[in-house]
Amino acid sequence: MTPIQMTFSTMFLLGLMGLTFHRTHLLSALLCLETLMLSLFLATSLWALQLSTINIACVPMLLLAFSACEASSGLALVVATAGTHGSDHMQNLNLLQC
Amino acid sequence: MNPYLLIVLLTSLGLGTALTLSSTHWLLAWLGLEVGTLAILPLMAQRHHPRATEAATKYFIVQATAAATLLFAAFNNAWLQGHSDIQHMSHPLFTSMITLALLLKLGLAPMHTWMPQVIQGVSLNTGLIVSTWQKIAPFILLLQIKQIHPPLLTIIGLASILIGGWGGLNQTQLRKILAYSSIAHLGWILLILQHSTALATYALLIYIFMTSATFITLKKCKATTINMLTTTWTKAPTITLVAPLMLLSLGGLPPLSGFAPKWFILQELTQLNFIPHASIAAMAALLSLSYYLRLSYSITLSLSPNNLPECLQWRVNYPISTPLSSALPAALALTLFLLPLTPSALTLII
């Protein structure tokens, strides 16, 4: 595995672990989601630089656009959670337990 | 909700699934999945109730994580392989990672914990969309991947059937029961996925009909717990007559349509010599059947102890007629009477 691949794989895995082992705040989970998307953006940008085809250079931009939409809807949900639950603490999201 | 907004959101939902279904490149498949997720979030969170917001948040985080993992594994596989075709993946690690991400999106064991909570928190109509329409796109992607580790899908399928059966036993909330029934049915579909794609598609289709009929019936009775189902006989006697048959079709009893997928799945597994898998699946179906029977008992087979004014409804309160309830006769007919047409249906799909 090349050093580049190792770097962005490590970045992705660290963000994924941060997302799954979230502790207190919903906002930190969203930050880790952004880390995942940023690592994918880096990966596709470096990939587009290495290959000689121009066709693939649109992939990072599409990824960025959709991850921005996703992040904004996540933030809207944080605002809604702060409005209904009072804060964005994860331990308050316990109304729907089995 | 504003009708223009509703039209835009429902169109985006359809567009998302259509994008995924028509894609051969992983980027476009991911795009379709993301559009579907983004479109359903306002539908889930439209009531400003804490439960709805919590359900929307949990759904969003789960689906976003699964989509990001899917894209990561797809790009890694494309880097190593040279092309980003869905149908020609070859790296074992990344194929398994993509499979696990898609199974997280579908809500199969052991990644199923979000599903009862999300379907409980949203309204019945939105729960219907999450249970039926949102399963189509990940399922189609799963069909197209060549599985490197066959035991993975088999183990997860059997675990889903067992967990779907056991999890629903202690529930009184109807939406949680339907969520566990959804987990169990998707487990059955997963068992046969790698052996016969036609049977998996047929099982998914019948599951969609049965689940739609159930959700629409519950919406008509305005019932969300088992207690609320007991007064159905005063409001809608026809539903009281037909609902047990619908629930038994979900349980997979002949001569109703729900029997056909289970029958053919067991037959295919037996022909391929997977006898322990078929036995465990058949016996775990009994667990699901017990809570379907409990529901039909409370609807039809018992009269809850109530006083006379409650039985004679002088203030007539007919079940509300929503746009969705006009689909109830069609969904019910497909749920109950499709078994004799099974051979022709299978030839159409194969």
Side-chain angles (χ1 to χ4, degrees):
Chain A
M1 195 185 274
T2 64
I4 297 178
Q5 216 176 355
M6 176 69 81
T7 314
F8 68 75
S9 296
T10 316
M11 185 177 172
F12 185 89
L13 285 173
L14 278 176
L16 193 63
M17 281 204 291
L19 182 56
T20 46
F21 297 132
H22 46 250
R23 294 267 298 274
T24 323
H25 289 282
L26 183 60
L27 206 51
S28 62
L30 286 185
L31 262 177
C32 292
L33 196 62
E34 287 311 297
T35 314
L36 301 185
M37 288 304 176
L38 185 63
S39 71
L40 286 172
F41 176 74
L42 276 174
T44 46
S45 304
L46 291 169
W47 188 22
L49 280 174
Q50 280 193 349
L51 288 178
S52 54
T53 56
I54 301 180
N55 204 8
I56 231 167
C58 67
V59 172
M61 291 314 297
L62 277 174
L63 201 86
L64 207 58
F66 270 87
S67 80
C69 295
E70 199 181 51
S72 59
S73 63
L75 282 173
L77 278 174
V78 167
V79 170
T81 310
T84 55
H85 289 266
S87 67
D88 71 336
H89 285 187
M90 298 293 258
Q91 67 230 29
N92 288 349
L93 297 175
N94 57 0
L95 297 174
L96 293 168
Q97 284 167 346
C98 285
Chain B
M1 198 183 233
N2 193 359
Y4 301 120
L5 191 56
L6 194 61
I7 289 176
V8 167
L9 289 173
L10 291 177
T11 313
S12 305
L13 265 181
L15 175 70
T17 307
L19 269 179
T20 311
L21 290 179
S22 63
S23 65
T24 50
H25 194 282
W26 272 115
L27 184 73
L28 199 60
W30 171 80
L31 269 177
L33 292 172
E34 283 290 290
V35 166
T37 308
L38 290 175
I40 207 177
L41 282 179
L43 286 173
M44 288 176 131
Q46 60 179 328
R47 307 181 297 155
H48 292 289
H49 191 279
R51 278 193 225 117
T53 319
E54 181 182 336
T57 313
K58 286 182 179 169
Y59 185 76
F60 169 72
I61 288 190
V62 163
Q63 301 283 314
T65 313
T69 316
L70 182 108
L71 203 58
F72 171 71
F75 282 147
N76 264 325
N77 181 57
W79 185 301
L80 291 170
Q81 203 177 353
H83 62 136
S84 182
D85 231 7
I86 296 182
Q87 296 180 350
H88 303 115
M89 297 183 61
S90 63
H91 198 283
L93 169 66
F94 296 124
T95 312
S96 309
M97 208 185 225
I98 286 190
T99 311
L100 285 175
L102 287 170
L103 295 178
L104 173 59
K105 262 197 182 290
L106 282 173
L108 286 166
M111 295 86 69
H112 66 284
T113 40
W114 61 272
M115 185 91 139
Q117 301 188 14
V118 165
I119 299 197
Q120 168 68 31
V122 296
S123 63
L124 279 167
N125 285 341
T126 317
L128 168 66
I129 298 177
V130 170
S131 288
T132 54
W133 185 255
Q134 299 286 73
K135 310 286 183 213
I136 295 182
F139 169 74
I140 297 290
L141 287 176
L142 263 179
L143 272 185
Q144 298 180 17
I145 300 173
K146 277 193 320 229
Q147 294 298 331
I148 311 282
H149 293 297
L152 177 70
L153 284 189
T154 316
I155 291 176
I156 289 189
L158 285 175
S160 300
I161 303 177
L162 284 167
I163 287 183
W166 262 311
L169 284 179
N170 199 22
Q171 306 294 340
T172 54
Q173 297 283 335
L174 290 173
R175 285 171 289 182
K176 283 212 170 97
I177 289 182
L178 285 177
Y180 281 110
S181 111
S182 163
I183 295 174
H185 278 104
L186 286 174
W188 275 94
I189 293 173
L190 206 63
L191 264 186
I192 202 67
L193 193 70
Q194 42 191 341
H195 307 300
S196 166
T197 56
L199 276 181
T201 315
Y202 183 62
L204 184 72
L205 203 61
I206 300 287
Y207 154 72
I208 287 179
F209 292 148
M210 295 192 291
T211 314
S212 312
T214 317
F215 268 102
I216 299 174
T217 309
L218 293 181
K219 180 79 182 172
K220 269 194 104 60
C221 304
K222 286 189 277 195
T224 51
T225 61
I226 300 187
N227 288 340
M228 292 189 207
L229 280 177
T230 53
T231 54
T232 317
W233 66 279
T234 62
K235 294 184 223 168
T238 324
I239 289 187
T240 313
L241 192 65
V242 159
L245 292 177
M246 185 183 67
L247 290 164
L248 290 179
S249 178
L250 267 173
L253 293 185
L256 306 165
S257 342
F259 177 58
K262 290 198 164 76
W263 176 22
F264 283 111
I265 289 175
L266 288 176
Q267 181 182 343
E268 189 72 26
L269 285 175
T270 322
Q271 273 175 355
L272 294 167
N273 230 0
F274 288 123
I275 312 283
H277 308 155
S279 320
I280 295 177
M283 287 195 282
L286 288 175
L287 292 166
S288 307
L289 186 64
S290 73
Y291 55 77
Y292 297 135
L293 278 174
R294 182 186 302 158
L295 288 184
S296 48
Y297 178 78
S298 64
I299 296 178
T300 315
L301 300 172
S302 65
L303 282 179
S304 61
N306 45 15
N307 40 16
L308 201 57
E310 190 178 316
C311 300
L312 309 169
Q313 284 206 337
W314 64 270
R315 188 188 306 150
V316 171
N317 182 18
Y318 287 126
I320 50 175
S321 173
T322 63
L324 201 55
S325 61
S326 54
L328 182 57
L332 265 175
L334 289 167
T335 313
L336 300 179
F337 303 123
L338 217 50
L339 189 63
L341 297 173
T342 310
S344 42
L346 277 179
T347 53
L348 276 177
I349 297 179
I350 294 176

